[in-house]
Amino acid sequence: MESKSAFVDVESPELSELQFQDISQEHSENETHTFSEFPPSAADEDDESGDKQKLLEEDKSKSPSFWSFEYYQTFFDVETGQVLQRILGSMLPIPQRNFLEYRIRPNPDLYGPFWICATLVFTTAIAGNLANYFSTPPTDIYKWKYEFHKVSYAATAIYAYWWLVPTTVWLFLRWRGNLASYTYLETICVYGYSLAIYIPISILWVINISVLQWILVIIGTLMSGSVLVLTFWPAVKNDDKKIGVILLLVIVLLHGALATGFVLYFFHYTPTTTSTSKDITNSTVSHLTTHTTSRRS
């Protein structure tokens, strides 16, 4: 028998085109791989960060117009918790903490001061009418009426004080150099919150006891006025001492003058008013008695 050769010539042209691959036995025959996401390159990350930076710079450069709603919306961008903390801080003077620097900055607002003034307008007008009602003697001749004009008077006094006084203070500080760099909005904000203490006091003014009313005036002026003094002291401490003391004294006096005006106009009813009404009643009764007697005779 002829023996067949077991050797294969690998250099033959038929076998030279063959390709050999090693297939791992750990993977199954039906397993396939699909690539749907590819890792980003460093160049792509740099491009994205650059685009974001450009967008942020464009947003900052596009400040809203003075006549647009977005311009004034920033003045009312404040949370309820911040408003409550600022109201509490405006009533309790703390020597170690400046109210403006600790509570107001870096986000002064007009939302809290606006509603504080609006609330004070209605509490003062309503409480003033209640005080008038309680102090009026009950008679058949005189009938008590609600005085609606007190609302407009209170609104005029409160909002005028809120804008005119801090505007004058800020202009004076700017003229003197404004060493503490207080802005106009911050000054307006501080004065608006300083009126919050008069809201509960105006309700207590309904009690028609003159001594109690004036004690409340002193308490409100000292507590809220002390917050104003501590707030504006850094702006004048390096200035002339006399000018600084005079400015702070004027601030406290104007703050107390507002409370004094509330008591005198809305809550203070002198005994003359009561005696006059009694005199009118007595004269009317005597006139009716005389008329009845003459008819009988």
Side-chain angles (χ1 to χ4, degrees):
M1 294 179 62
E2 296 181 358
S3 61
K4 296 182 180 181
S5 177
F7 296 98
V8 178
D9 188 5
V10 296
E11 295 181 355
S12 63
E14 291 82 359
L15 299 177
S16 62
E17 297 180 356
L18 295 177
Q19 297 179 356
F20 298 94
Q21 297 179 352
D22 293 331
I23 301 175
S24 177
Q25 297 180 357
E26 295 179 359
H27 301 282
S28 61
E29 297 179 356
N30 297 328
E31 183 177 1
T32 58
H33 298 277
T34 303
F35 295 95
S36 59
E37 296 181 358
F38 299 91
S41 62
D44 295 336
E45 293 179 355
D46 294 338
D47 293 338
E48 291 179 0
S49 61
D51 294 338
K52 292 180 180 179
Q53 187 66 24
K54 290 180 180 179
L55 291 174
L56 292 175
E57 292 178 355
E58 290 178 357
D59 293 338
K60 292 181 180 179
S61 61
K62 294 180 180 179
S63 58
S65 174
F66 178 80
W67 305 105
S68 63
F69 178 76
E70 288 77 10
Y71 179 82
Y72 299 95
Q73 188 176 7
T74 58
F75 300 152
F76 295 86
D77 187 11
V78 65
E79 297 180 356
T80 305
Q82 290 179 330
V83 174
L84 295 177
Q85 291 178 357
R86 292 175 179 182
I87 291 175
L88 184 61
S90 67
M91 299 181 183
L92 301 176
I94 303 177
Q96 294 79 11
R97 294 180 180 179
N98 187 303
F99 174 66
L100 190 151
E101 296 178 355
Y102 186 76
R103 293 293 185 185
I104 303 300
R105 285 181 175 176
N107 184 28
D109 70 288
L110 295 180
Y111 177 83
F114 175 81
W115 286 111
I116 288 173
C117 292
T119 305
L120 183 59
V121 167
F122 287 101
T123 55
T124 303
I126 294 173
N129 279 277
L130 288 176
N132 185 14
Y133 175 77
F134 292 143
S135 61
T136 302
T139 59
D140 296 334
I141 304 300
Y142 176 77
K143 292 183 179 180
W144 178 85
K145 294 182 181 179
Y146 187 88
E147 298 177 349
F148 290 96
H149 64 275
K150 288 187 176 181
V151 177
S152 59
Y153 289 170
T156 302
I158 292 170
Y159 280 99
Y161 177 86
W162 176 37
W163 284 98
L164 294 180
V165 175
T167 300
T168 305
V169 172
W170 181 77
L171 290 175
F172 181 83
L173 292 177
R174 187 176 182 182
W175 174 61
R176 299 298 300 178
N178 196 1
L179 303 178
S181 300
Y182 290 170
T183 64
Y184 179 65
L185 180 60
E186 290 174 345
T187 308
I188 293 289
C189 182
V190 169
Y191 260 88
Y193 279 105
S194 68
L195 297 175
I197 196 171
Y198 290 133
I199 294 177
I201 288 179
S202 64
I203 298 175
L204 295 176
W205 277 333
V206 175
I207 304 173
N208 193 15
I209 301 175
S210 182
V211 176
L212 177 61
Q213 291 176 343
W214 292 114
I215 290 175
L216 292 174
V217 169
I218 296 173
I219 292 175
T221 302
L222 291 179
M223 293 182 65
S224 185
S226 299
V227 175
L228 293 175
V229 169
L230 294 174
T231 299
F232 291 103
W233 170 245
V236 298
K237 66 179 181 180
N238 294 327
D239 201 349
D240 189 1
K241 298 299 181 182
K242 293 182 179 180
I243 296 178
V245 171
I246 291 174
L247 176 62
L248 297 179
L249 183 61
V250 169
I251 289 175
V252 176
L253 290 178
L254 290 177
H255 208 60
L258 180 67
T260 303
F262 286 159
V263 173
L264 293 177
Y265 183 78
F266 295 98
F267 301 95
H268 188 67
Y269 297 96
T270 59
T272 306
T273 305
T274 306
S275 61
T276 303
S277 61
K278 290 182 179 180
D279 293 339
I280 295 173
T281 304
N282 293 332
S283 62
T284 304
V285 172
S286 62
H287 177 72
L288 292 175
T289 303
T290 305
H291 182 70
T292 304
T293 306
S294 62
R295 288 186 62 185
R296 289 180 180 178
S297 61

